[in-house]
Amino acid sequence: MTIDLWLVFVAVSLLPAISPGPGVMLAISNTLRFGRNATLASAAGNAVGLVVIGYAVALGFGALMATSALAFTVLKFVGAAYLIYLGLKILWDKSSFQTHDTVPAKRKKPVKLFLEALLVSVTNPKAILVITALFPQFMQAEGFSLLETTILSFTYALLCFANHAVIAFAGNHMRRFLTSANRIRWVRRVTGGLFVGFGAALASASR
């Protein structure tokens, strides 16, 4: 892969990498609830999930998703159910956005945050179909190419990680907004509702 072709790939990938979706929503939620380090842990999980998708697509899984109604349906309902579960957890947990020292937010271990984001990433069939449409346009070798797949997968994953890292480092500014019980209540409702909405949209999505 030439450097010119790689730069074109980077430019084309920027928009899908920063577009709002379940991964970005999870990064914002973790930033508000748990802080910078938690968001970086979930960003790493999201990035690893995208690398997994990249290799899977190169090996033919993307084509299976594009042609098999059953595979697409199973994966989208698994992803939708998990997003709805995350949304309901936020809605039910009234302390989920507490930032005051007197009422600290319930913490999650980095490993759990990593795995949570990984699962959100790999169960998003739309991400698989986007990568399926994007990667072949920049692969010059016929069939599976380990080098090209590695370059494209890690580049796309790093772009998404960088987007989540920006959210993480902006967390202190966002957390200052949560200075009243009324704001916390509305942020919790909106965030939980968005997760449920993403899940419902995914469940009703078609190829």
Side-chain angles (χ1 to χ4, degrees):
M1 176 176 290
T2 65
I3 187 66
D4 290 341
L5 185 62
W6 178 78
L7 289 173
V8 172
F9 174 75
V10 171
V12 172
S13 300
L14 280 175
L15 183 58
I18 65 175
S19 296
V24 171
M25 195 64 231
L26 186 62
I28 294 173
S29 173
N30 285 335
T31 295
L32 290 173
R33 297 167 70 194
F34 309 120
R36 178 193 304 171
N37 292 338
T39 309
L40 293 176
S42 68
N46 181 74
V48 170
L50 292 172
V51 170
V52 170
I53 292 174
Y55 281 103
V57 165
L59 290 170
F61 185 71
L64 173 64
M65 286 290 296
T67 58
S68 172
L70 178 60
F72 180 86
T73 300
V74 169
L75 190 62
K76 81 170 183 177
F77 278 118
V78 170
Y82 191 62
L83 289 174
I84 292 172
Y85 163 74
L86 292 176
L88 292 177
K89 277 187 66 177
I90 291 173
L91 290 171
W92 288 334
D93 184 5
K94 294 184 178 180
S95 67
S96 59
F97 283 93
Q98 291 283 0
T99 59
H100 303 297
D101 294 336
T102 54
V103 190
K106 295 179 181 178
R107 298 293 176 181
K108 285 186 179 180
K109 293 181 178 179
V111 172
K112 186 172 182 180
L113 291 162
F114 177 93
L115 294 175
E116 184 178 79
L118 176 64
L119 184 58
V120 168
S121 179
V122 298
T123 57
N124 185 354
K126 288 297 185 180
I128 297 173
L129 296 182
V130 167
I131 290 177
T132 300
L134 186 63
F135 279 24
Q137 311 305 319
F138 296 90
M139 298 183 74
Q140 297 176 312
E142 293 184 4
F144 176 75
S145 169
L146 179 61
L147 179 59
E148 288 185 337
T149 301
T150 300
I151 292 172
L152 295 175
S153 299
F154 276 85
T155 298
Y156 189 73
L158 285 173
L159 288 173
C160 292
F161 181 88
N163 182 41
H164 291 196
V166 169
I167 293 171
F169 282 92
N172 287 338
H173 298 287
M174 290 191 288
R175 286 166 68 85
R176 290 194 191 104
F177 179 77
L178 302 178
T179 56
S180 71
N182 187 52
R183 287 178 181 176
I184 290 172
R185 182 168 58 253
W186 278 106
V187 168
R188 179 171 54 83
R189 289 174 179 175
V190 170
T191 304
L194 284 173
F195 271 110
V196 173
F198 273 124
L202 181 57
S204 62
S206 61
R207 291 174 296 165

